[in-house]
């Protein structure tokens, strides 16, 4: 079959795979640091789940990079591909959905367990959350093992024939499995992320904070866009039998029956979905870190420090000027007082001493002057 030139070349997809996954792994490490060292709480089941998800995402990305270098860069295998590249791609395209199923399941499980710690006081939420967790476990295992045993235990049928004629006769329908996998990915995204949004109103906080909480939780929908795009791709593929083993177009139809198979790359969509899912699973957990680095609060704090410093300097200058003026006035008064040298002269030193007291001095030694009252001047 002739094939159209793909825009998903190795020099484009490899940096994309690495950047998306690298950011997800970084956020996972940051999450663990925030919880263990920043807010100092014990790591929990949701943290373990997201670490497991990061491992599966990294493994899937490594295979996809290998496919880009040695296989068909995530594109569907065509008969025009060389035998070696085609066999590499067939094997990787069989293994990758297994890793993706575990990655998606653990990401969503981590979110469900995280929300459970927040809303767990509600009996209704705990019930619905338990149902959600069991659905996620069933979803993950069903599609992972369904993909693993497409051909029973005769795994070699996946790649023994480049046209997969043997697999078509002896294996289950791959297109239907992939379509249902994409469909349930969208449905479970909506279930996992939508459930806590319903219960935000029960939290004891201000309306502004509730809306902020909704915004943080809604970040989980970042990966849903890729899920929807992958579902559309698989729906069209199911229509034409594109994922079926030994696919052959109907008489009179082009080798590639729909342009969507050229525009979209299913492996890239899965990578975006996994990576964005890993981001969204970690962002709510690192939210405490953003409280110390809020840009408006930071600018406000700097402004407050600058104005405080300027005010202190200004007060010091005013006090110095006042003290100088008081000293000059006292000296002038001292010069005007007549001095008597006779023995019968009255001693006026106590009176003079009181007259020469500085403005801020305390004439009563036993009474202390309040520093706060002086600063308030």
């Amino acid at each position: 079959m002739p094939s159209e030139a793909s825009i998903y070349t190795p020099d484009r997809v490899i940096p994309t795979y690495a950047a998306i996954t690298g950011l997800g792994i970084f956020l996972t490490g940051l999450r663990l640091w925030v919880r263990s060292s920043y807010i100092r709480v014990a790591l929990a089941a949701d943290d373990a789940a997201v670490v497991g998800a990061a491992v599966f995402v990294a493994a899937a990305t490594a295979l996809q990079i290998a496919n880009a270098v040695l296989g068909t860069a995530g594109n569907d295998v065509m008969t025009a591909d060389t035998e070696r590249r085609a066999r590499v791609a067939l094997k990787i395209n069989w293994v990758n959905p297994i890793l993706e199923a575990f990655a998606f399941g653990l990401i969503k499980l981590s979110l469900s367990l995280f929300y459970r710690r927040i809303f767990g006081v509600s009996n209704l939420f705990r019930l619905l959350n338990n149902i959600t967790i069991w659905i996620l476990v069933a979803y993950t295992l069903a599609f992972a093992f369904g993909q693993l045993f497409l051909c029973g235990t005769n795994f070699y049928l996946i790649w023994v024939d480049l046209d997969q004629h043997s697999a078509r006769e002896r294996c289950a329908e791959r297109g239907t499995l992939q379509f249902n996998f994409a469909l349930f990915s969208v449905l479970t995204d909506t279930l996992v992320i939508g459930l806590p949004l319903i219960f935000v109103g029960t939290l004891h906080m201000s309306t502004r904070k509730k809306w902020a909480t909704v915004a943080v939780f809604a970040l989980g929908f970042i990966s849903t866009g890729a899920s929807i795009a992958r579902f559309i791709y698989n729906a069209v593929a199911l229509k034409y039998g594109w994922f079926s083993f030994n696919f052959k177009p109907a008489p009179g139809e082009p080798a590639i029956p729909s342009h969507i198979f050229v525009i979209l790359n299913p492996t890239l969509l899965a990578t975006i979905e996994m990576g964005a899912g890993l981001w969204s699973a970690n962002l709510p957990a690192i939210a405490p870190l953003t409280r110390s680095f809020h840009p408006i609060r930071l600018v406000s704090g700097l402004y407050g420090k600058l104005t405080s410093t300027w005010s202190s300097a200004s007060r010091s200058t005013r006090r110095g000027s006042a003290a100088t003026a008081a000293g000059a006035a006292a000296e002038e008064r001292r010069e005007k007082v007549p001095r008597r040298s006779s023995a019968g002269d009255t001693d006026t030193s106590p009176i003079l001493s009181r007259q020469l007291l500085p403005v801020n001095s305390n004439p009563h030694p036993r009474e202390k002057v309040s520093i706060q009252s002086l600063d308030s001047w």
Side-chain angles (χ1 to χ4, degrees):
M1 277 186 300
S3 61
E4 298 184 27
S6 173
I7 61 174
Y8 300 100
T9 56
D11 61 316
R12 292 176 178 175
V13 297
I14 290 177
T16 304
Y17 292 161
I20 293 173
T21 304
L23 180 57
I25 293 174
F26 169 76
L27 291 176
T28 302
L30 183 61
R31 171 204 185 106
L32 299 179
W33 176 81
V34 167
R35 290 184 55 76
S36 62
S37 300
Y38 188 73
I39 60 176
R40 299 183 182 278
V41 296
L43 299 180
D46 57 312
D47 302 303
V50 82
V51 170
V55 172
F56 279 102
V57 171
T61 301
L63 279 182
Q64 290 158 4
I65 292 176
N67 195 7
V69 175
L70 305 174
T72 60
N75 297 303
D76 298 294
V77 177
M78 305 293 183
T79 55
D81 293 317
T82 65
E83 180 176 346
R84 180 187 62 81
R85 298 183 71 87
R87 291 191 189 281
V88 169
L90 289 173
K91 293 176 182 179
I92 292 178
N93 291 343
W94 168 59
V95 174
N96 254 335
I98 301 172
L99 301 178
E100 292 166 5
F102 282 108
F104 294 147
L106 287 170
I107 288 171
K108 296 170 187 180
L109 180 62
S110 174
L111 281 169
S112 294
L113 293 172
F114 176 79
Y115 296 142
R116 186 185 185 90
R117 291 194 288 107
I118 299 175
F119 302 99
V121 294
S122 169
N123 292 331
L124 178 58
F125 182 86
R126 291 179 69 87
L127 174 62
L128 296 176
N129 185 257
N130 286 336
I131 295 173
T132 301
I133 289 174
W134 282 111
I135 290 175
L136 292 175
V137 172
Y139 151 85
T140 302
L141 296 179
F143 290 109
F145 287 104
Q147 176 70 18
L148 177 63
F149 297 109
L150 270 175
C151 300
T153 56
N154 301 314
F155 305 131
Y156 66 93
L157 293 175
I158 298 291
W159 62 83
V160 65
D161 301 322
L162 293 186
D163 62 0
Q164 296 187 310
H165 176 76
S166 300
R168 184 181 182 88
E169 293 182 348
R170 302 173 58 182
C171 300
E173 174 55 43
R174 180 174 57 180
T176 302
L177 179 68
Q178 291 300 315
F179 171 80
N180 289 325
F181 184 30
L183 173 62
F184 274 85
S185 288
V186 176
L187 295 178
T188 51
D189 275 358
T190 305
L191 177 62
V192 169
I193 303 168
L195 180 60
L197 296 180
I198 300 174
F199 286 84
V200 169
T202 63
L203 296 176
H204 298 289
M205 58 176 60
S206 65
T207 302
R208 182 179 63 84
K209 289 185 177 180
K210 287 181 180 179
W211 279 112
T213 303
V214 168
V216 172
F217 289 172
L219 292 173
F221 285 114
I222 293 176
S223 65
T224 307
S227 300
I228 294 173
R230 191 164 64 92
F231 169 71
I232 294 172
Y233 184 99
N234 281 275
V236 177
L238 182 65
K239 174 184 176 181
Y240 290 104
W242 184 249
F243 279 156
S244 298
F245 294 115
N246 191 232
F247 168 79
K248 291 180 180 179
E253 290 187 355
I256 301 178
S258 174
H259 289 294
I260 198 172
F261 302 137
V262 178
I263 298 172
L264 298 179
N265 182 303
T267 305
L268 179 59
L269 291 177
T271 303
I272 295 174
E273 187 176 352
M274 287 188 297
L278 201 56
W279 305 346
S280 61
N282 286 307
L283 289 175
I286 64 177
L289 191 63
T290 62
R291 296 172 189 166
S292 301
F293 299 98
H294 193 284
I296 297 178
R297 189 180 296 115
L298 180 61
V299 173
S300 176
L302 290 175
Y303 174 78
K305 290 181 179 179
L306 290 175
T307 54
S308 176
T309 303
W310 179 85
S311 299
S312 299
S314 178
R315 285 197 298 269
S316 298
T317 302
R318 289 198 300 270
R319 290 194 194 102
S321 300
T324 301
E331 182 66 24
E332 183 179 355
R333 287 194 297 271
R334 186 184 300 111
E335 292 176 355
K336 292 181 180 180
V337 174
R339 296 181 178 274
R340 298 179 182 180
S341 56
S342 61
D345 292 344
T346 303
D347 186 7
T348 60
S349 58
I351 299 175
L352 292 178
S353 63
R354 286 195 294 270
Q355 289 177 342
L356 299 180
L357 282 174
V359 176
N360 293 337
S361 296
N362 186 4
H364 305 288
R366 294 183 180 179
E367 297 180 6
K368 294 183 178 179
V369 180
S370 172
I371 300 299
Q372 182 178 3
S373 64
L374 294 178
D375 289 341
S376 65
W377 285 9

